[in-house]
Amino acid sequence: MSSPLIKYNNTTIVLPPVLCGSIGYYALLASHKNVVIDRYCRYDKRRKHMHRYDIADVNGRLSLTVPITKPRIGATWNDAGISAHGGWWNIHKVALWSAYGRTPFFEYYIDELMPYLQPCDGTESLMNLNMGIDAVIRRILGIDNEVRYELTAEENELLKRGDLSIIDCRNGNFDLDTPVEYYQVRALKQGFIPNLTILDLIFNMGPESPLVLKKIIDKNG
């Protein structure tokens, strides 16, 4: 049985391999039956969402970054490594507990992310981190469409020709033009903060997260 979130059955969407992707990113991913998260897209230091994500902290929006080792010229994001600089894993864990420790579903899901927030020695792959967390997120959300991490030769040719059967979103920013508000634990004090990491939705809404994604997909086309 296919996911009720799937809206587009006959097109393939190509996405970048982001870290703890935004709600808009996962709405786009969930709405397509065929998805390629291109781990071999060209490295570009301006594409910060490959190793950065935004949460709603006690003082509002906060960006959390995984420092990376700069790849060689002409490299792809698959070549990017993770730096141990600053003990980033501790910063992320403390920030997530501070931001979401009182949300309704934090305790249900945080343990699944802990294996990816452990000390590293600088030899780890950014793509392995991104792909591992992505698999956890898709499982929690019940996104069971076909997701691959490499384009075929035929798909690369279709992209070059501008074929309408494949949509290239590797350079998108994934901010929603029409956000859908959902419960956020600090909304009374801060107001609703849109376009955060999908973890914000998961920790606040839990099993109802796919219902919010469905509303987002319907509103944003």
Side-chain angles (χ1 to χ4, degrees):
M1 182 177 176
S2 63
S3 168
L5 298 176
I6 294 175
K7 187 175 182 179
Y8 305 102
N9 288 285
N10 300 318
T11 55
T12 297
I13 191 164
V14 187
L15 298 169
V18 302
L19 174 66
C20 299
S22 69
I23 293 168
Y25 177 92
Y26 275 97
L28 193 59
L29 186 155
S31 67
H32 286 77
K33 182 178 180 180
N34 301 303
V35 180
V36 180
I37 300 176
D38 183 13
R39 65 186 294 174
Y40 295 104
C41 57
R42 185 174 296 278
Y43 170 78
D44 184 340
K45 66 180 181 180
R46 296 170 296 181
R47 311 302 294 172
K48 300 298 185 184
H49 54 252
M50 307 294 200
H51 59 108
R52 178 184 297 176
Y53 58 100
D54 288 353
I55 65 172
D57 192 20
V58 293
N59 296 313
R61 187 182 298 269
L62 174 69
S63 292
L64 295 176
T65 302
V66 172
I68 61 173
T69 55
K70 185 177 180 180
R72 67 186 185 279
I73 295 175
T76 69
W77 279 100
N78 194 63
D79 301 311
I82 298 173
S83 170
H85 178 73
W88 62 265
W89 50 90
N90 285 325
I91 295 172
H92 286 233
K93 283 192 285 189
V94 170
L96 288 171
W97 252 276
S98 173
Y100 298 113
R102 294 186 179 182
T103 56
F105 299 97
F106 181 78
E107 292 184 356
Y108 287 89
Y109 300 119
I110 189 59
D111 286 348
E112 297 189 56
L113 295 171
M114 283 302 98
Y116 302 100
L117 299 176
Q118 299 300 322
C120 70
D121 60 10
T123 63
E124 289 80 3
S125 162
L126 176 65
M127 284 306 97
N128 287 344
L129 176 68
N130 288 7
M131 289 163 59
I133 293 177
D134 171 66
V136 170
I137 288 171
R138 286 191 285 111
R139 189 200 63 74
I140 291 172
L141 295 173
I143 298 175
D144 59 356
N145 46 8
E146 181 183 343
V147 177
R148 294 177 288 112
Y149 287 93
E150 185 174 356
L151 289 158
T152 64
E154 180 182 2
E155 287 168 337
N156 271 311
E157 184 59 32
L158 290 173
L159 285 170
K160 290 177 183 177
R161 288 178 6 215
D163 194 285
L164 296 179
S165 67
I166 187 165
I167 304 168
D168 190 352
C169 291
R170 287 174 291 185
N171 293 319
N173 65 17
F174 310 108
D175 284 349
L176 294 166
D177 293 329
T178 312
V180 171
E181 293 193 15
Y182 55 88
Y183 171 79
Q184 289 178 336
V185 71
R186 296 187 181 88
L188 286 177
K189 293 183 178 180
Q190 300 178 349
F192 178 76
I193 303 176
N195 295 314
L196 297 171
T197 170
I198 191 69
L199 298 180
D200 184 84
L201 177 63
I202 288 171
F203 291 146
N204 280 295
M205 297 297 292
E208 294 186 27
S209 298
L211 300 178
V212 178
L213 284 182
K214 181 68 166 62
K215 291 179 182 178
I216 291 171
I217 292 167
D218 291 342
K219 273 187 93 170
N220 290 269

